[in-house]
Amino acid sequence: MGFRRRKRQEEGINMTPLLDVMFILLIFIVVSAQYTNIQAMKVRFPKAETGKSVEKIDKVIIGVTKQEEILLDGRLVDARALEAALDPLGKKIPPPAVFIQADEGATTGKLVTVMDVASKAGLSQISIQTKK
């Protein structure tokens, strides 16, 4: 009776699926990082002849849409909620800068309301974002 010896397969972990998953995760991270600076709201900025770019600083972004909705960092809020959210920020040292992204179709009254709420909270560095 002759016995045949079976050839032993190499033992180990197949790395191909792991590399595929890591490559897909890398692509996902790179693609999603591209969209971090895109606005969450649709606002047409008014044009301005003068203006300057701002370096990266601690900031709060408040939006005012054409329908006069107030957005705080992309979330829809009313004037009271805006005041409640800005009060603790006004106590920080140094207080963050406030950037208002107001649609060119928004009324001046809503813009002044937002500026007034920010000022009452102790935030004195208020800017209105425009385009050149």
Side-chain angles (χ1 to χ4, degrees):
M1 218 196 258
F3 290 102
R4 290 187 181 180
R5 291 184 128 178
R6 290 186 181 184
K7 292 184 180 179
R8 291 183 66 188
Q9 292 183 347
E10 289 185 34
E11 293 181 15
I13 298 174
N14 187 1
M15 296 295 287
T16 305
L18 177 66
L19 292 173
D20 289 345
V21 169
M22 294 304 289
F23 183 66
I24 290 171
L25 284 173
L26 178 67
I27 290 173
F28 176 75
I29 290 169
V30 169
V31 170
S32 64
Q34 298 285 330
Y35 297 106
T36 56
N37 292 331
I38 293 181
Q39 293 176 322
M41 59 186 158
K42 298 292 181 193
V43 174
R44 291 185 344 203
F45 296 125
K47 293 183 181 178
E49 295 293 322
T50 60
K52 59 182 176 179
S53 297
V54 179
E55 298 174 19
K56 292 185 177 184
I57 56 173
D58 192 18
K59 61 184 174 184
V60 177
I61 298 175
I62 302 172
V64 180
T65 65
K66 188 174 186 176
Q67 293 78 23
E68 297 192 12
E69 298 171 325
I70 301 172
L71 299 157
L72 176 61
D73 291 328
R75 293 185 339 253
L76 187 64
V77 296
D78 61 357
R80 276 192 221 152
L82 179 65
E83 188 172 353
L86 293 182
D87 274 338
L89 297 176
K91 294 175 176 76
K92 285 176 67 175
I93 296 178
V98 176
F99 291 100
I100 300 175
Q101 298 177 340
D103 191 282
E104 66 183 356
T107 63
T108 308
K110 187 57 87 172
L111 180 63
V112 169
T113 301
V114 170
M115 292 174 70
D116 194 35
V117 167
S119 183
K120 283 181 185 176
L123 302 168
S124 59
Q125 190 177 353
I126 302 171
S127 301
I128 300 173
Q129 192 169 351
T130 60
K131 66 178 178 180
K132 283 191 172 187

mmCIF file of all heavy atoms in Angstrom, residues 63-92:
data_model
loop_
_atom_site.group_PDB
_atom_site.id
_atom_site.type_symbol
_atom_site.label_atom_id
_atom_site.label_comp_id
_atom_site.label_asym_id
_atom_site.label_seq_id
_atom_site.Cartn_x
_atom_site.Cartn_y
_atom_site.Cartn_z
ATOM 1 N N GLY A 63 -24.915 82.560 9.603
ATOM 2 C CA GLY A 63 -25.463 82.791 8.277
ATOM 3 C C GLY A 63 -26.853 83.389 8.345
ATOM 4 O O GLY A 63 -27.624 83.097 9.263
ATOM 5 N N VAL A 64 -27.150 84.243 7.372
ATOM 6 C CA VAL A 64 -28.497 84.799 7.228
ATOM 7 C C VAL A 64 -28.902 84.537 5.785
ATOM 8 O O VAL A 64 -28.270 85.045 4.858
ATOM 9 C CB VAL A 64 -28.532 86.316 7.537
ATOM 10 C CG1 VAL A 64 -29.943 86.847 7.365
ATOM 11 C CG2 VAL A 64 -28.017 86.603 8.928
ATOM 12 N N THR A 65 -29.932 83.717 5.591
ATOM 13 C CA THR A 65 -30.354 83.355 4.243
ATOM 14 C C THR A 65 -31.288 84.409 3.658
ATOM 15 O O THR A 65 -31.724 85.325 4.350
ATOM 16 C CB THR A 65 -31.066 81.986 4.246
ATOM 17 O OG1 THR A 65 -32.277 82.113 4.997
ATOM 18 C CG2 THR A 65 -30.187 80.901 4.835
ATOM 19 N N LYS A 66 -31.598 84.227 2.412
ATOM 20 C CA LYS A 66 -32.514 85.149 1.735
ATOM 21 C C LYS A 66 -33.904 85.112 2.370
ATOM 22 O O LYS A 66 -34.604 86.107 2.398
ATOM 23 C CB LYS A 66 -32.600 84.775 0.255
ATOM 24 C CG LYS A 66 -33.353 85.754 -0.587
ATOM 25 C CD LYS A 66 -33.271 85.385 -2.051
ATOM 26 C CE LYS A 66 -33.907 86.444 -2.896
ATOM 27 N NZ LYS A 66 -33.773 86.161 -4.328
ATOM 28 N N GLN A 67 -34.271 83.955 2.923
ATOM 29 C CA GLN A 67 -35.562 83.815 3.594
ATOM 30 C C GLN A 67 -35.475 84.296 5.040
ATOM 31 O O GLN A 67 -36.396 84.076 5.824
ATOM 32 C CB GLN A 67 -36.009 82.346 3.587
ATOM 33 C CG GLN A 67 -36.347 81.796 2.221
ATOM 34 C CD GLN A 67 -35.099 81.445 1.414
ATOM 35 O OE1 GLN A 67 -34.036 81.210 1.958
ATOM 36 N NE2 GLN A 67 -35.243 81.430 0.102
ATOM 37 N N GLU A 68 -34.369 84.925 5.417
ATOM 38 C CA GLU A 68 -34.115 85.513 6.736
ATOM 39 C C GLU A 68 -34.062 84.464 7.841
ATOM 40 O O GLU A 68 -34.435 84.718 8.974
ATOM 41 C CB GLU A 68 -35.125 86.616 7.047
ATOM 42 C CG GLU A 68 -35.025 87.762 6.072
ATOM 43 C CD GLU A 68 -35.791 88.989 6.491
ATOM 44 O OE1 GLU A 68 -36.230 89.052 7.648
ATOM 45 O OE2 GLU A 68 -35.931 89.885 5.665
ATOM 46 N N GLU A 69 -33.570 83.279 7.506
ATOM 47 C CA GLU A 69 -33.314 82.253 8.507
ATOM 48 C C GLU A 69 -31.899 82.468 9.039
ATOM 49 O O GLU A 69 -31.005 82.859 8.301
ATOM 50 C CB GLU A 69 -33.421 80.857 7.893
ATOM 51 C CG GLU A 69 -34.787 80.535 7.354
ATOM 52 C CD GLU A 69 -34.804 79.246 6.565
ATOM 53 O OE1 GLU A 69 -33.816 78.944 5.884
ATOM 54 O OE2 GLU A 69 -35.834 78.563 6.624
ATOM 55 N N ILE A 70 -31.715 82.216 10.318
ATOM 56 C CA ILE A 70 -30.401 82.375 10.939
ATOM 57 C C ILE A 70 -29.786 80.998 11.119
ATOM 58 O O ILE A 70 -30.423 80.083 11.640
ATOM 59 C CB ILE A 70 -30.512 83.089 12.304
ATOM 60 C CG1 ILE A 70 -31.147 84.466 12.132
ATOM 61 C CG2 ILE A 70 -29.145 83.200 12.956
ATOM 62 C CD1 ILE A 70 -31.461 85.151 13.447
ATOM 63 N N LEU A 71 -28.553 80.846 10.679
ATOM 64 C CA LEU A 71 -27.838 79.585 10.794
ATOM 65 C C LEU A 71 -26.578 79.811 11.619
ATOM 66 O O LEU A 71 -25.791 80.707 11.321
ATOM 67 C CB LEU A 71 -27.459 79.060 9.411
ATOM 68 C CG LEU A 71 -28.637 78.768 8.497
ATOM 69 C CD1 LEU A 71 -28.212 78.812 7.053
ATOM 70 C CD2 LEU A 71 -29.222 77.428 8.821
ATOM 71 N N LEU A 72 -26.387 78.999 12.640
ATOM 72 C CA LEU A 72 -25.189 79.076 13.473
ATOM 73 C C LEU A 72 -24.373 77.827 13.200
ATOM 74 O O LEU A 72 -24.795 76.718 13.541
ATOM 75 C CB LEU A 72 -25.549 79.169 14.952
ATOM 76 C CG LEU A 72 -24.384 79.167 15.935
ATOM 77 C CD1 LEU A 72 -23.475 80.377 15.691
ATOM 78 C CD2 LEU A 72 -24.874 79.176 17.356
ATOM 79 N N ASP A 73 -23.222 78.004 12.563
ATOM 80 C CA ASP A 73 -22.361 76.882 12.168
ATOM 81 C C ASP A 73 -23.147 75.827 11.396
ATOM 82 O O ASP A 73 -22.997 74.634 11.614
ATOM 83 C CB ASP A 73 -21.667 76.271 13.386
ATOM 84 C CG ASP A 73 -20.638 77.220 13.982
ATOM 85 O OD1 ASP A 73 -20.037 78.003 13.219
ATOM 86 O OD2 ASP A 73 -20.438 77.190 15.196
ATOM 87 N N GLY A 74 -24.048 76.276 10.519
ATOM 88 C CA GLY A 74 -24.806 75.376 9.662
ATOM 89 C C GLY A 74 -26.114 74.864 10.238
ATOM 90 O O GLY A 74 -26.861 74.195 9.548
ATOM 91 N N ARG A 75 -26.418 75.175 11.505
ATOM 92 C CA ARG A 75 -27.667 74.722 12.139
ATOM 93 C C ARG A 75 -28.665 75.878 12.183
ATOM 94 O O ARG A 75 -28.317 77.003 12.528
ATOM 95 C CB ARG A 75 -27.395 74.236 13.556
ATOM 96 C CG ARG A 75 -26.573 72.985 13.653
ATOM 97 C CD ARG A 75 -26.446 72.506 15.102
ATOM 98 N NE ARG A 75 -26.685 73.545 16.086
ATOM 99 C CZ ARG A 75 -25.731 74.115 16.826
ATOM 100 N NH1 ARG A 75 -24.483 73.768 16.686
ATOM 101 N NH2 ARG A 75 -26.037 75.030 17.716
ATOM 102 N N LEU A 76 -29.911 75.594 11.892
ATOM 103 C CA LEU A 76 -30.971 76.589 11.908
ATOM 104 C C LEU A 76 -31.314 76.936 13.357
ATOM 105 O O LEU A 76 -31.583 76.052 14.158
ATOM 106 C CB LEU A 76 -32.201 76.050 11.189
ATOM 107 C CG LEU A 76 -33.349 77.015 10.963
ATOM 108 C CD1 LEU A 76 -32.921 78.136 10.043
ATOM 109 C CD2 LEU A 76 -34.526 76.278 10.367
ATOM 110 N N VAL A 77 -31.260 78.235 13.697
ATOM 111 C CA VAL A 77 -31.587 78.701 15.053
ATOM 112 C C VAL A 77 -32.445 79.959 14.949
ATOM 113 O O VAL A 77 -32.507 80.598 13.910
ATOM 114 C CB VAL A 77 -30.310 79.017 15.886
ATOM 115 C CG1 VAL A 77 -29.492 77.776 16.124
ATOM 116 C CG2 VAL A 77 -29.466 80.090 15.224
ATOM 117 N N ASP A 78 -33.096 80.315 16.054
ATOM 118 C CA ASP A 78 -33.803 81.590 16.106
ATOM 119 C C ASP A 78 -32.952 82.568 16.918
ATOM 120 O O ASP A 78 -31.871 82.231 17.390
ATOM 121 C CB ASP A 78 -35.213 81.430 16.685
ATOM 122 C CG ASP A 78 -35.204 80.897 18.109
ATOM 123 O OD1 ASP A 78 -34.128 80.592 18.635
ATOM 124 O OD2 ASP A 78 -36.295 80.798 18.704
ATOM 125 N N ALA A 79 -33.431 83.797 17.072
ATOM 126 C CA ALA A 79 -32.637 84.842 17.740
ATOM 127 C C ALA A 79 -32.340 84.488 19.194
ATOM 128 O O ALA A 79 -31.243 84.740 19.685
ATOM 129 C CB ALA A 79 -33.355 86.184 17.643
ATOM 130 N N ARG A 80 -33.298 83.877 19.893
ATOM 131 C CA ARG A 80 -33.068 83.507 21.302
ATOM 132 C C ARG A 80 -32.023 82.414 21.433
ATOM 133 O O ARG A 80 -31.167 82.454 22.308
ATOM 134 C CB ARG A 80 -34.372 83.056 21.950
ATOM 135 C CG ARG A 80 -35.202 84.188 22.444
ATOM 136 C CD ARG A 80 -36.313 83.652 23.322
ATOM 137 N NE ARG A 80 -37.514 84.411 22.999
ATOM 138 C CZ ARG A 80 -38.734 83.968 23.114
ATOM 139 N NH1 ARG A 80 -38.953 82.755 23.553
ATOM 140 N NH2 ARG A 80 -39.755 84.731 22.817
ATOM 141 N N ALA A 81 -32.122 81.410 20.576
ATOM 142 C CA ALA A 81 -31.136 80.316 20.610
ATOM 143 C C ALA A 81 -29.753 80.827 20.220
ATOM 144 O O ALA A 81 -28.739 80.377 20.759
ATOM 145 C CB ALA A 81 -31.568 79.197 19.686
ATOM 146 N N LEU A 82 -29.710 81.786 19.309
ATOM 147 C CA LEU A 82 -28.430 82.385 18.921
ATOM 148 C C LEU A 82 -27.814 83.115 20.113
ATOM 149 O O LEU A 82 -26.617 82.976 20.387
ATOM 150 C CB LEU A 82 -28.630 83.353 17.748
ATOM 151 C CG LEU A 82 -27.381 84.072 17.255
ATOM 152 C CD1 LEU A 82 -26.390 83.072 16.668
ATOM 153 C CD2 LEU A 82 -27.743 85.125 16.220
ATOM 154 N N GLU A 83 -28.631 83.863 20.822
ATOM 155 C CA GLU A 83 -28.147 84.587 21.999
ATOM 156 C C GLU A 83 -27.644 83.612 23.066
ATOM 157 O O GLU A 83 -26.582 83.822 23.663
ATOM 158 C CB GLU A 83 -29.264 85.464 22.563
ATOM 159 C CG GLU A 83 -28.816 86.393 23.654
ATOM 160 C CD GLU A 83 -29.907 87.374 24.048
ATOM 161 O OE1 GLU A 83 -30.965 87.421 23.400
ATOM 162 O OE2 GLU A 83 -29.683 88.101 25.031
ATOM 163 N N ALA A 84 -28.381 82.527 23.285
ATOM 164 C CA ALA A 84 -27.968 81.533 24.280
ATOM 165 C C ALA A 84 -26.663 80.843 23.873
ATOM 166 O O ALA A 84 -25.838 80.512 24.725
ATOM 167 C CB ALA A 84 -29.070 80.493 24.468
ATOM 168 N N ALA A 85 -26.467 80.628 22.584
ATOM 169 C CA ALA A 85 -25.254 79.963 22.117
ATOM 170 C C ALA A 85 -24.043 80.893 22.140
ATOM 171 O O ALA A 85 -22.911 80.444 22.352
ATOM 172 C CB ALA A 85 -25.466 79.428 20.710
ATOM 173 N N LEU A 86 -24.265 82.190 21.925
ATOM 174 C CA LEU A 86 -23.146 83.137 21.864
ATOM 175 C C LEU A 86 -22.706 83.637 23.235
ATOM 176 O O LEU A 86 -21.564 84.080 23.397
ATOM 177 C CB LEU A 86 -23.507 84.332 20.973
ATOM 178 C CG LEU A 86 -23.691 84.039 19.488
ATOM 179 C CD1 LEU A 86 -24.005 85.322 18.737
ATOM 180 C CD2 LEU A 86 -22.476 83.361 18.896
ATOM 181 N N ASP A 87 -23.593 83.591 24.242
ATOM 182 C CA ASP A 87 -23.241 84.086 25.576
ATOM 183 C C ASP A 87 -21.985 83.429 26.152
ATOM 184 O O ASP A 87 -21.085 84.126 26.611
ATOM 185 C CB ASP A 87 -24.419 83.935 26.538
ATOM 186 C CG ASP A 87 -25.368 85.119 26.469
ATOM 187 O OD1 ASP A 87 -24.936 86.198 26.020
ATOM 188 O OD2 ASP A 87 -26.543 84.950 26.851
ATOM 189 N N PRO A 88 -21.865 82.102 26.145
ATOM 190 C CA PRO A 88 -20.635 81.513 26.697
ATOM 191 C C PRO A 88 -19.392 81.841 25.870
ATOM 192 O O PRO A 88 -18.290 81.944 26.401
ATOM 193 C CB PRO A 88 -20.898 80.006 26.679
ATOM 194 C CG PRO A 88 -22.263 79.798 26.193
ATOM 195 C CD PRO A 88 -22.842 81.097 25.798
ATOM 196 N N LEU A 89 -19.590 82.041 24.576
ATOM 197 C CA LEU A 89 -18.439 82.369 23.723
ATOM 198 C C LEU A 89 -17.911 83.760 24.014
ATOM 199 O O LEU A 89 -16.727 84.034 23.848
ATOM 200 C CB LEU A 89 -18.826 82.246 22.251
ATOM 201 C CG LEU A 89 -19.229 80.850 21.783
ATOM 202 C CD1 LEU A 89 -19.686 80.892 20.334
ATOM 203 C CD2 LEU A 89 -18.080 79.881 21.947
ATOM 204 N N GLY A 90 -18.801 84.670 24.437
ATOM 205 C CA GLY A 90 -18.377 86.030 24.759
ATOM 206 C C GLY A 90 -17.524 86.100 26.008
ATOM 207 O O GLY A 90 -16.800 87.068 26.225
ATOM 208 N N LYS A 91 -17.577 85.063 26.814
ATOM 209 C CA LYS A 91 -16.795 85.036 28.052
ATOM 210 C C LYS A 91 -15.411 84.411 27.865
ATOM 211 O O LYS A 91 -14.601 84.427 28.772
ATOM 212 C CB LYS A 91 -17.577 84.298 29.128
ATOM 213 C CG LYS A 91 -18.837 85.042 29.530
ATOM 214 C CD LYS A 91 -19.660 84.241 30.520
ATOM 215 C CE LYS A 91 -20.853 85.012 31.003
ATOM 216 N NZ LYS A 91 -21.937 85.106 30.070
ATOM 217 N N LYS A 92 -15.162 83.837 26.697
ATOM 218 C CA LYS A 92 -13.849 83.240 26.428
ATOM 219 C C LYS A 92 -12.793 84.328 26.275
ATOM 220 O O LYS A 92 -13.089 85.447 25.870
ATOM 221 C CB LYS A 92 -13.896 82.413 25.129
ATOM 222 C CG LYS A 92 -14.595 81.094 25.271
ATOM 223 C CD LYS A 92 -14.696 80.359 23.968
ATOM 224 C CE LYS A 92 -13.360 79.904 23.447
ATOM 225 N NZ LYS A 92 -13.479 79.092 22.232
#
